Amino acid sequence: MFKHDKNLLEMVRVERPNPQYAVMLQEQLGGPQGELKAGLQYVSQSFRIKDPEIRDLFLDIAAEEFSHMEMVATAVNLLNGHDIDMQGTQPSGNIEANVLTGLAPYLTNGSGVPFTAAYVNVTGDLAADILSNIAAEQRAKVVYEYLHRQINDQHVRQMIDFLLNREEAHNTLFRQAFQKIQDSGSNRDWGVDQDARLYFDLSPGTNHFHVNSPQAPSFQNPDYTHQ
Amino acid sequence: MFKHDKNLLEMVRVERPNPQYAVMLQEQLGGPQGELKAGLQYVSQSFRIKDPEIRDLFLDIAAEEFSHMEMVATAVNLLNGHDIDMQGTQPSGNIEANVLTGLAPYLTNGSGVPFTAAYVNVTGDLAADILSNIAAEQRAKVVYEYLHRQINDQHVRQMIDFLLNREEAHNTLFRQAFQKIQDSGSNRDWGVDQDARLYFDLSPGTNHFHVNSPQAPSFQNPDYTHQ
Amino acid sequence: MFKHDKNLLEMVRVERPNPQYAVMLQEQLGGPQGELKAGLQYVSQSFRIKDPEIRDLFLDIAAEEFSHMEMVATAVNLLNGHDIDMQGTQPSGNIEANVLTGLAPYLTNGSGVPFTAAYVNVTGDLAADILSNIAAEQRAKVVYEYLHRQINDQHVRQMIDFLLNREEAHNTLFRQAFQKIQDSGSNRDWGVDQDARLYFDLSPGTNHFHVNSPQAPSFQNPDYTHQ
Amino acid sequence: MFKHDKNLLEMVRVERPNPQYAVMLQEQLGGPQGELKAGLQYVSQSFRIKDPEIRDLFLDIAAEEFSHMEMVATAVNLLNGHDIDMQGTQPSGNIEANVLTGLAPYLTNGSGVPFTAAYVNVTGDLAADILSNIAAEQRAKVVYEYLHRQINDQHVRQMIDFLLNREEAHNTLFRQAFQKIQDSGSNRDWGVDQDARLYFDLSPGTNHFHVNSPQAPSFQNPDYTHQ
Amino acid sequence: MFKHDKNLLEMVRVERPNPQYAVMLQEQLGGPQGELKAGLQYVSQSFRIKDPEIRDLFLDIAAEEFSHMEMVATAVNLLNGHDIDMQGTQPSGNIEANVLTGLAPYLTNGSGVPFTAAYVNVTGDLAADILSNIAAEQRAKVVYEYLHRQINDQHVRQMIDFLLNREEAHNTLFRQAFQKIQDSGSNRDWGVDQDARLYFDLSPGTNHFHVNSPQAPSFQNPDYTHQ
Amino acid sequence: MFKHDKNLLEMVRVERPNPQYAVMLQEQLGGPQGELKAGLQYVSQSFRIKDPEIRDLFLDIAAEEFSHMEMVATAVNLLNGHDIDMQGTQPSGNIEANVLTGLAPYLTNGSGVPFTAAYVNVTGDLAADILSNIAAEQRAKVVYEYLHRQINDQHVRQMIDFLLNREEAHNTLFRQAFQKIQDSGSNRDWGVDQDARLYFDLSPGTNHFHVNSPQAPSFQNPDYTHQ
């Protein structure tokens, strides 16, 4: 069951309306590395997970991502300002906000492409799902870094800082979950066939990698590996 | 903020696996009249609503729709059964469940089309948004009626009954909300121009409607109109 | 059978080219609340309707919406002007018009997203279809209100006024059609189950709605209810 | 302006319901080579065409394609039969028809993918547009040939025959239109640069084509070339 | 098998970064008339072609189109410049490049719509496929003409010139291939039914075309017809 | 530059046509974990990569994925058999193959959804891109495992074995590349803020993970860690 709490996970403010930046921030509302995508990916994966701890972890993070979505949408709403206006000096505000949604945030990326579940990866295999989530959190962090660089509004920067750090926390948690299951599912029986040891040099050049004894992806406990 | 409760809104069981029906039930997971769509539509509309009661109503129903989504997904998961198998007697189970998701439910409609935010209507105008929601609840009811007719599994029928009745409850609530705001927004200044009173007979035939004094959509309190 | 008449339903002129506004007006050519969507929705619904009057009504309005589409496209074409040019002072004209269509209007929304039938609702149930149409006409009106506010060109404003009023006329007609069928289809047997009377307070707060004796949506004759 | 005539362009009957074939025939309702696509492509192209004869030709054929769409939809509707039923012996009828549309035809291809304007080609250049239309009519003919082979119902075959022959007629007309304009637009100044005369053998093998004096596509009057 | 060669098919340079033009050039990377679309169309068609010469031709051109894609992407990358920045004077650079891809080229059209295989036409019929390819090459030429007109950068113009001329060369080759197969497949048995000889005047007006003895599309050898 | 070699990367045969399985195998032609997606993702990422070794690695693997795509398509083509036929005993063959493509393979997933670049992840950050690729290879392996279990055809199984092992080899290579760059880009300055160390228990329950000193994802050299 899902419940909604009237409080935002973290307060959201903006110094002043900035419709141009609102367009860009929409990316994290309805884009491929956005909060809605993250939440839906983890919820969808959870539907068939049997391990109760990992299922719980996925749903904790999913609920948090939906709460991030609410924060991002709140910021977009404030940045969109008060008045519809595409006639004025505004260089390239969000067209849909001005003609379709009356400045309400909208489930699209920064270019206005509607959110699609084609962004969501679900495999029914824990190793593959958790690696997908680690990669997804890393990509989300990168997008927040890009967004951070392009705004001076201190309140917006603070929100982005918070969200960026939370993605790091999720990344850590998914990595710890991966350690727990890393000898199971698609990670077993890895590299037994010699085809898994070949290198095909189809773009001949300077490559110096070799396929040494292929092994499944695995992480060591970060608390220990860096001692 | 969103939170997840480990209990389902209402318990979900199935008498036996039925992958063929699982395909059909997916319609309400990721289809145009499905639970995800409903939840996202009401949440998205809520982002710019100022009236605290109506905003609260939208979020109550949105959280419930996400909880319905979880119920539908749980049922799909059980109906998908235990083993991937498209070789056997199974006439036309869900292809994606067998090749992509390892029988996990997936955010698509019954034909495998990924969920898209193109289904979601947000206008920034309360009258238009609430009418959209009334229509959406009515369509969701119709889909559940179709689904109800095509399954004998008593547990699945019970779940569909529950969901169908909840859509009726939401419909009633949206209608009551409409009464509250029906003289505002896009419902004001209706039909003042004579172009709003013309009938263009562009498919000449038996039509007997006439555009009598056009007035904005409105509902009377159902408690009184039927006394 | 469809026929085309060389005359526009209503003459379309513009005071001067305005590529920036052409982008915005495209919303009503190929967007979710646009004229193509409306026409295709009513035609698609008509294919299985048995009631001859209502079928006739749907096709009258569908043919008119296609005629509106032609008017909107004609205006977009005039607003796009004479010369491809994204180098100049033009702040954010339609990219596709300049690189793909040679300034011809295109079946996308204002952001360039191609029209998709995912916007079109067809249920096979008259009550649900007509409520969908009432909501659709209300949303189309809202978009025209937004568009009206953002242009000073008197000719364009006149066209938008005409189209906005026609949506009101259609809305009235669909409401009258709803009165005719409101005791049938998905509107029957409403609220018989007690689940239809519950309120789930999943976003606890100030809501004061209660689900009083749930009844199906219905409209009274607007000629009489307001006497 | 568009008008609708209550008569179909040509009467449509079926010997008996055949939901399995209805799925396949949907291809020509909402698929990439379907009637809706054809009609919308020619209408969209017409919006900026200045030559009155060619504009008239495009609109004649567009109106006919919409009329074909109505015929195809009428056949799909009859083939869908009377009762929703995915439980029975029916091997793989249209899922959406059974769970979403109550057996009403739907603007998708045979696999349930919603129609998208991504299928529609508009370039603002008459030579390119007419070549696109010639190719589109040829593809539509091929699809009708495939559909013809897979049905024994004499009435359906008769309808397909009619539609297939009409695509040939349109093809002829577009070819005649091409002859008229073939020295204009993107067909002028062809092959002046030597890069237009090179052959890059990037998949080395048996190819024996050479780029002889490149010239723009052109058709001779078919009445004379074959004398 | 596909191989990659570190050399570009033709060197690509730009005079200076121009993010605004990069947006427009993206059209030919991931748009409906773009290089990726062309390459994938010809490869997809080749999978079932039996004629070794024509199969070879399709794969030669497909490999070249992928090589063009690499050239276009290289130019987009250079035009995007060095620094993410949507705050400055830049009027309407590519939003996704600034928030999602860190200025890397992206498989979308100029408006940010992701590439879709809905653009790709494959029919299993050589006549229809080759006509599709002739039309596709003509449309690609038109887009390059539009792009050429809107840039002063001499290096970019030179690249566009090269690509435009190559599309002409491909067009010539496809036309020669068509001559070889023009009495086969969907081009046989053309116009035998009298329905193929009718003209339906559904948009009554000035049209002067008549359907003279319908014949399948065909080209004469361009070396001889113009002697 | 891309080149095509007439030889397949590895010979492809099938014991007998099996249109039902062809549908499922299409998943790896045009689906989200398919070969086209993989190839386009690595090519797209390569466009802005400066490190010559990593760029070379990406292009080697990309060229191989395109070569896998050709193998999968060849198998689909053979499995589709010789004759269009949806009337017979065939329970649920690919509808599009029978009505649209004349049995040619098509760039869709198993359900007929056209390939979309929405599947492709490009971030401009090497750490995020390589993690995306590791996850993508893991998911591709899982899909091949599902496909392997559902076919008895020894030749097809052999092809799947080959492809599955190659995904393991790529996974290993991407992991080695990650080791090389793991202290750069989005992996630097990780977890410095205390928000990166919090756990939000939004689905209260049995979770026992804690966010211990958050550190960026990293792999140790598999040759040494398992000694």
Side-chain angles (χ1 to χ4, degrees):
Chain A
M1 191 186 335
F2 287 89
K3 291 180 179 167
H4 182 259
D5 181 319
K6 293 266 177 304
N7 299 300
L8 289 173
L9 179 67
E10 181 94 354
M11 192 178 62
V12 172
R13 290 185 302 165
V14 304
E15 290 184 4
R16 66 189 63 80
N18 184 340
Q20 169 75 358
Y21 191 77
V23 178
M24 296 162 69
L25 192 54
Q26 283 256 150
E27 187 69 27
Q28 288 304 75
L29 185 52
Q33 323 304 354
E35 302 294 351
L36 176 59
K37 184 268 183 179
L40 287 177
Q41 180 157 309
Y42 310 152
V43 164
S44 299
Q45 292 171 347
S46 81
F47 291 138
R48 207 176 168 90
I49 294 177
K50 292 204 176 62
D51 180 316
E53 278 183 39
I54 288 182
R55 185 181 160 102
D56 180 43
L57 176 71
F58 279 36
L59 286 164
D60 278 336
I61 300 183
E64 187 179 340
E65 303 287 15
F66 289 141
S67 304
H68 291 182
M69 174 182 74
E70 199 184 16
M71 289 173 66
V72 172
T74 302
V76 169
N77 193 36
L78 294 170
L79 292 164
N80 272 339
H82 306 295
D83 298 306
I84 285 173
D85 173 25
M86 292 290 282
Q87 284 181 301
T89 53
Q90 204 174 293
S92 61
N94 192 332
I95 293 173
E96 298 312 309
N98 284 281
V99 301
L100 184 68
T101 73
L103 302 183
Y106 197 45
L107 302 174
T108 68
N109 72 356
S111 300
V113 178
F115 175 82
T116 163
Y119 300 144
V120 172
N121 283 303
V122 179
T123 67
D125 177 88
L126 267 183
D129 280 357
I130 298 177
L131 284 171
S132 297
N133 300 353
I134 288 168
E137 294 289 348
Q138 193 92 8
R139 294 194 300 267
K141 183 189 170 187
V142 171
V143 173
Y144 281 123
E145 287 177 338
Y146 294 149
L147 285 167
H148 194 272
R149 279 191 233 169
Q150 298 173 78
I151 185 79
N152 289 322
D153 187 312
Q154 291 310 309
H155 296 323
V156 175
R157 287 199 135 189
Q158 193 175 337
M159 181 191 76
I160 291 174
D161 257 340
F162 172 79
L163 296 171
L164 188 157
N165 276 282
R166 295 306 303 150
E167 311 304 6
E168 289 186 352
H170 298 166
N171 205 326
T172 298
L173 289 160
F174 283 124
R175 222 164 57 231
Q176 288 177 261
F178 193 81
Q179 283 180 270
K180 188 180 164 194
I181 60 88
Q182 68 191 352
D183 297 323
S184 68
S186 62
N187 250 19
R188 284 178 308 183
D189 306 324
W190 192 278
V192 294
D193 189 310
Q194 72 167 358
D195 286 329
R197 294 186 192 88
L198 302 173
Y199 191 94
F200 293 152
D201 192 11
L202 300 178
S203 175
T206 62
N207 192 292
H208 301 299
F209 294 99
H210 300 278
V211 192
N212 300 320
S213 53
Q215 290 165 19
S218 65
F219 298 94
Q220 301 220 328
N221 191 324
D223 294 333
Y224 299 95
T225 50
H226 287 255
Q227 280 179 340
Chain B
M1 191 187 333
F2 287 89
K3 292 180 178 168
H4 182 259
D5 181 320
K6 292 266 178 303
N7 299 299
L8 289 174
L9 180 67
E10 182 94 353
M11 191 180 61
V12 170
R13 291 185 302 165
V14 304
E15 290 185 3
R16 67 189 62 80
N18 185 339
Q20 170 76 0
Y21 191 77
V23 178
M24 296 162 70
L25 192 54
Q26 282 255 151
E27 186 71 25
Q28 289 304 76
L29 185 52
Q33 325 301 355
E35 301 294 352
L36 176 59
K37 183 264 182 183
L40 287 177
Q41 179 158 310
Y42 310 151
V43 164
S44 299
Q45 292 171 348
S46 81
F47 290 137
R48 207 174 167 90
I49 294 178
K50 292 204 176 62
D51 180 317
E53 279 183 38
I54 288 181
R55 185 180 160 102
D56 179 44
L57 176 72
F58 278 37
L59 286 164
D60 279 335
I61 301 182
E64 188 180 340
E65 304 288 15
F66 289 140
S67 304
H68 291 183
M69 175 181 73
E70 198 185 18
M71 291 174 64
V72 171
T74 302
V76 168
N77 192 36
L78 294 169
L79 291 164
N80 271 341
H82 306 295
D83 298 308
I84 284 173
D85 173 24
M86 292 289 284
Q87 283 181 301
T89 53
Q90 203 175 293
S92 60
N94 191 331
I95 293 173
E96 298 313 309
N98 284 280
V99 301
L100 183 69
T101 72
L103 301 182
Y106 196 46
L107 301 175
T108 68
N109 73 356
S111 301
V113 178
F115 176 82
T116 163
Y119 300 145
V120 172
N121 283 302
V122 179
T123 67
D125 176 89
L126 267 183
D129 279 357
I130 298 177
L131 284 171
S132 295
N133 299 354
I134 289 168
E137 294 289 348
Q138 193 92 6
R139 294 194 300 266
K141 185 190 169 187
V142 170
V143 173
Y144 281 124
E145 287 178 338
Y146 294 149
L147 285 167
H148 195 272
R149 279 191 234 171
Q150 298 175 79
I151 186 80
N152 289 322
D153 187 311
Q154 291 311 308
H155 296 324
V156 175
R157 287 199 136 189
Q158 194 175 334
M159 181 191 76
I160 292 175
D161 257 339
F162 172 79
L163 295 171
L164 188 158
N165 276 281
R166 295 306 302 149
E167 311 303 7
E168 290 185 353
H170 298 165
N171 205 325
T172 299
L173 288 160
F174 282 125
R175 222 163 56 232
Q176 288 177 261
F178 194 82
Q179 282 178 270
K180 188 180 165 193
I181 59 89
Q182 69 191 352
D183 298 322
S184 68
S186 65
N187 249 18
R188 283 179 309 182
D189 306 324
W190 192 278
V192 294
D193 189 310
Q194 73 167 358
D195 286 329
R197 294 188 191 86
L198 300 175
Y199 190 94
F200 293 153
D201 192 11
L202 299 179
S203 175
T206 61
N207 191 292
H208 300 301
F209 294 98
H210 300 280
V211 193
N212 300 319
S213 52
Q215 291 165 15
S218 65
F219 298 94
Q220 300 220 328
N221 191 322
D223 294 333
Y224 298 97
T225 50
H226 286 255
Q227 279 179 341
Chain C
M1 190 187 335
F2 287 88
K3 292 181 177 166
H4 181 259
D5 181 320
K6 292 268 179 305
N7 299 300
L8 289 174
L9 180 67
E10 183 93 353
M11 190 180 64
V12 170
R13 291 185 302 166
V14 304
E15 289 185 3
R16 67 189 61 82
N18 184 340
Q20 168 76 358
Y21 192 77
V23 178
M24 297 163 68
L25 192 54
Q26 282 256 150
E27 186 71 26
Q28 288 304 75
L29 185 52
Q33 324 303 354
E35 302 294 352
L36 175 59
K37 184 267 181 180
L40 287 177
Q41 180 158 307
Y42 310 151
V43 164
S44 299
Q45 293 172 346
S46 81
F47 290 138
R48 207 174 168 91
I49 293 178
K50 292 205 174 63
D51 180 316
E53 278 183 39
I54 288 181
R55 185 181 161 100
D56 179 43
L57 176 71
F58 279 36
L59 286 163
D60 279 336
I61 301 182
E64 188 180 340
E65 304 287 16
F66 289 140
S67 305
H68 291 182
M69 175 182 74
E70 198 184 19
M71 290 174 65
V72 171
T74 303
V76 168
N77 193 36
L78 295 169
L79 291 163
N80 271 340
H82 306 295
D83 297 307
I84 284 174
D85 172 26
M86 291 289 283
Q87 285 181 299
T89 53
Q90 205 175 291
S92 60
N94 190 331
I95 293 173
E96 298 312 308
N98 285 280
V99 300
L100 183 69
T101 72
L103 302 183
Y106 196 45
L107 300 175
T108 68
N109 73 357
S111 301
V113 178
F115 176 81
T116 163
Y119 300 144
V120 172
N121 284 301
V122 179
T123 68
D125 176 88
L126 266 184
D129 279 359
I130 298 177
L131 283 171
S132 296
N133 300 353
I134 289 168
E137 294 288 349
Q138 193 91 8
R139 293 193 301 266
K141 183 190 169 187
V142 170
V143 173
Y144 281 124
E145 287 177 339
Y146 294 148
L147 286 167
H148 195 272
R149 280 192 232 170
Q150 297 174 79
I151 185 81
N152 289 322
D153 187 310
Q154 291 311 308
H155 296 324
V156 175
R157 288 198 134 190
Q158 193 176 335
M159 181 191 76
I160 291 175
D161 256 339
F162 173 78
L163 296 170
L164 188 158
N165 276 281
R166 294 306 302 149
E167 310 305 6
E168 290 186 353
H170 298 166
N171 205 325
T172 299
L173 288 160
F174 282 125
R175 221 162 59 231
Q176 287 177 262
F178 194 81
Q179 283 178 270
K180 188 179 166 194
I181 59 89
Q182 68 191 354
D183 298 322
S184 69
S186 63
N187 250 19
R188 285 179 308 182
D189 306 324
W190 192 279
V192 293
D193 189 311
Q194 71 167 359
D195 286 329
R197 295 187 192 85
L198 300 174
Y199 190 93
F200 294 152
D201 192 12
L202 299 179
S203 175
T206 60
N207 192 290
H208 301 299
F209 293 99
H210 300 278
V211 193
N212 300 319
S213 52
Q215 290 166 17
S218 65
F219 298 95
Q220 300 220 329
N221 191 322
D223 295 331
Y224 297 96
T225 50
H226 287 255
Q227 279 181 342
Chain D
M1 193 185 336
F2 287 88
K3 292 181 178 168
H4 181 259
D5 182 319
K6 293 268 178 304
N7 298 299
L8 289 173
L9 180 66
E10 182 93 353
M11 192 179 62
V12 171
R13 290 185 303 165
V14 304
E15 289 185 4
R16 68 189 62 81
N18 185 339
Q20 169 76 359
Y21 191 77
V23 178
M24 297 163 68
L25 191 54
Q26 283 257 148
E27 187 71 23
Q28 289 303 76
L29 185 50
Q33 324 302 354
E35 302 294 352
L36 175 58
K37 184 268 184 178
L40 287 177
Q41 179 158 310
Y42 310 151
V43 163
S44 299
Q45 292 170 346
S46 80
F47 291 137
R48 207 174 168 92
I49 295 177
K50 291 204 175 63
D51 180 316
E53 278 184 39
I54 288 182
R55 185 180 162 102
D56 179 43
L57 175 72
F58 279 36
L59 285 163
D60 279 335
I61 301 182
E64 188 180 340
E65 304 288 16
F66 289 141
S67 304
H68 290 182
M69 174 182 73
E70 199 184 18
M71 290 175 65
V72 172
T74 302
V76 169
N77 192 35
L78 294 169
L79 291 164
N80 272 340
H82 306 296
D83 297 308
I84 284 172
D85 173 24
M86 292 289 282
Q87 283 181 301
T89 53
Q90 203 175 294
S92 61
N94 191 331
I95 293 173
E96 299 312 309
N98 284 280
V99 300
L100 183 70
T101 72
L103 302 183
Y106 197 46
L107 301 175
T108 69
N109 73 356
S111 300
V113 179
F115 175 83
T116 164
Y119 300 144
V120 172
N121 284 303
V122 179
T123 67
D125 176 88
L126 266 183
D129 279 357
I130 298 177
L131 284 171
S132 296
N133 299 353
I134 288 168
E137 294 288 348
Q138 194 92 6
R139 294 193 301 264
K141 183 188 170 188
V142 171
V143 173
Y144 280 124
E145 287 178 339
Y146 294 148
L147 285 167
H148 195 272
R149 280 190 232 170
Q150 298 175 78
I151 185 79
N152 289 322
D153 186 312
Q154 292 310 307
H155 296 323
V156 175
R157 288 200 135 187
Q158 193 175 336
M159 181 191 76
I160 292 174
D161 257 340
F162 173 78
L163 295 170
L164 188 158
N165 276 281
R166 295 306 302 150
E167 311 303 8
E168 290 186 352
H170 298 165
N171 206 325
T172 299
L173 289 160
F174 283 124
R175 221 164 58 232
Q176 290 178 261
F178 194 82
Q179 285 179 266
K180 189 180 164 192
I181 59 88
Q182 68 192 352
D183 298 323
S184 67
S186 61
N187 250 19
R188 285 178 307 181
D189 306 323
W190 192 278
V192 293
D193 189 311
Q194 73 168 357
D195 287 328
R197 293 187 193 87
L198 301 174
Y199 190 94
F200 293 152
D201 192 11
L202 300 179
S203 175
T206 62
N207 192 292
H208 302 299
F209 293 99
H210 301 277
V211 194
N212 300 321
S213 52
Q215 291 166 16
S218 65
F219 298 96
Q220 300 220 330
N221 191 323
D223 295 334
Y224 297 96
T225 51
H226 287 255
Q227 278 180 344
Chain E
M1 191 187 335
F2 287 89
K3 292 180 178 168
H4 182 259
D5 182 319
K6 292 269 177 304
N7 298 302
L8 289 175
L9 180 66
E10 182 94 354
M11 191 180 63
V12 171
R13 290 184 302 164
V14 304
E15 291 185 3
R16 67 189 62 82
N18 184 338
Q20 169 75 357
Y21 191 77
V23 178
M24 297 164 68
L25 192 55
Q26 282 257 149
E27 187 70 25
Q28 289 303 76
L29 183 53
Q33 323 304 353
E35 302 294 353
L36 175 59
K37 185 267 182 177
L40 287 177
Q41 180 158 308
Y42 310 151
V43 165
S44 299
Q45 292 171 347
S46 81
F47 291 137
R48 207 175 167 89
I49 293 178
K50 293 205 174 61
D51 181 316
E53 277 184 39
I54 288 183
R55 186 180 160 101
D56 179 44
L57 175 72
F58 279 36
L59 285 163
D60 279 336
I61 301 182
E64 188 180 340
E65 304 288 14
F66 290 141
S67 305
H68 290 181
M69 176 183 72
E70 197 184 18
M71 291 173 65
V72 172
T74 301
V76 168
N77 193 36
L78 294 170
L79 291 164
N80 272 339
H82 307 295
D83 297 307
I84 283 174
D85 173 24
M86 290 290 282
Q87 284 181 299
T89 53
Q90 204 172 294
S92 60
N94 191 333
I95 293 172
E96 299 311 310
N98 284 280
V99 299
L100 184 69
T101 72
L103 301 183
Y106 197 46
L107 301 175
T108 68
N109 73 356
S111 300
V113 178
F115 175 82
T116 164
Y119 300 144
V120 172
N121 283 302
V122 179
T123 68
D125 177 88
L126 266 184
D129 279 359
I130 299 177
L131 284 172
S132 297
N133 300 353
I134 289 168
E137 294 288 349
Q138 194 91 8
R139 293 194 300 267
K141 182 189 171 188
V142 170
V143 173
Y144 281 123
E145 288 177 338
Y146 294 149
L147 284 167
H148 195 272
R149 278 190 234 170
Q150 297 174 79
I151 185 80
N152 289 323
D153 186 311
Q154 291 311 308
H155 296 323
V156 175
R157 288 199 135 189
Q158 193 175 335
M159 180 190 76
I160 292 174
D161 257 340
F162 173 77
L163 296 170
L164 189 158
N165 275 282
R166 295 306 302 149
E167 311 304 5
E168 290 186 353
H170 298 166
N171 205 327
T172 298
L173 289 160
F174 283 125
R175 222 163 56 231
Q176 287 177 263
F178 193 83
Q179 283 179 271
K180 187 181 166 194
I181 59 89
Q182 68 191 352
D183 298 322
S184 68
S186 63
N187 250 19
R188 285 178 308 183
D189 306 323
W190 192 279
V192 293
D193 190 311
Q194 71 167 1
D195 286 328
R197 293 186 193 89
L198 300 175
Y199 191 93
F200 294 152
D201 192 10
L202 299 179
S203 175
T206 61
N207 191 293
H208 301 300
F209 294 98
H210 302 277
V211 192
N212 301 320
S213 53
Q215 291 165 16
S218 64
F219 298 94
Q220 300 221 330
N221 191 323
D223 295 333
Y224 298 96
T225 50
H226 287 256
Q227 280 180 341
Chain F
M1 191 186 336
F2 288 89
K3 292 181 179 168
H4 181 259
D5 181 318
K6 291 271 180 299
N7 298 300
L8 288 174
L9 179 67
E10 182 93 353
M11 191 180 62
V12 171
R13 289 185 304 165
V14 304
E15 290 184 3
R16 66 190 61 82
N18 185 340
Q20 170 77 359
Y21 191 77
V23 178
M24 295 163 69
L25 192 53
Q26 283 257 149
E27 186 70 25
Q28 289 303 77
L29 184 51
Q33 324 302 356
E35 302 294 353
L36 175 58
K37 184 265 182 182
L40 287 177
Q41 180 158 309
Y42 311 151
V43 164
S44 299
Q45 292 171 347
S46 81
F47 291 138
R48 206 174 169 91
I49 294 178
K50 293 205 174 61
D51 181 315
E53 279 184 38
I54 289 182
R55 185 181 161 101
D56 178 43
L57 176 71
F58 279 37
L59 286 163
D60 278 335
I61 302 182
E64 187 180 341
E65 304 288 14
F66 290 141
S67 304
H68 291 182
M69 176 182 73
E70 198 184 18
M71 291 174 65
V72 172
T74 302
V76 168
N77 192 35
L78 295 169
L79 291 164
N80 271 340
H82 306 295
D83 297 308
I84 283 174
D85 172 25
M86 290 288 284
Q87 282 181 303
T89 53
Q90 204 173 293
S92 59
N94 191 333
I95 294 173
E96 299 313 309
N98 285 280
V99 301
L100 183 69
T101 71
L103 301 182
Y106 197 46
L107 301 174
T108 69
N109 73 356
S111 300
V113 178
F115 175 82
T116 163
Y119 300 144
V120 173
N121 283 303
V122 179
T123 67
D125 176 89
L126 266 184
D129 279 357
I130 298 177
L131 284 172
S132 296
N133 299 354
I134 288 168
E137 294 289 348
Q138 193 92 7
R139 292 194 302 266
K141 183 188 171 190
V142 171
V143 173
Y144 280 124
E145 288 178 338
Y146 294 149
L147 285 167
H148 195 272
R149 280 191 232 171
Q150 298 175 78
I151 186 80
N152 288 321
D153 187 311
Q154 291 311 308
H155 296 323
V156 175
R157 287 199 136 190
Q158 193 176 336
M159 180 190 77
I160 292 175
D161 257 339
F162 173 79
L163 295 171
L164 188 158
N165 276 282
R166 295 305 303 147
E167 311 304 6
E168 289 185 352
H170 298 165
N171 206 325
T172 298
L173 289 159
F174 282 125
R175 221 164 56 232
Q176 289 177 260
F178 193 82
Q179 285 178 267
K180 188 179 166 196
I181 59 90
Q182 67 192 352
D183 298 321
S184 67
S186 62
N187 250 19
R188 285 178 307 183
D189 305 325
W190 191 279
V192 293
D193 189 312
Q194 72 166 358
D195 286 329
R197 295 186 192 87
L198 301 175
Y199 190 93
F200 293 152
D201 191 11
L202 299 179
S203 175
T206 62
N207 192 291
H208 301 299
F209 294 97
H210 300 277
V211 193
N212 300 320
S213 52
Q215 291 165 14
S218 64
F219 299 95
Q220 301 220 327
N221 191 325
D223 293 333
Y224 298 94
T225 51
H226 287 256
Q227 277 181 344

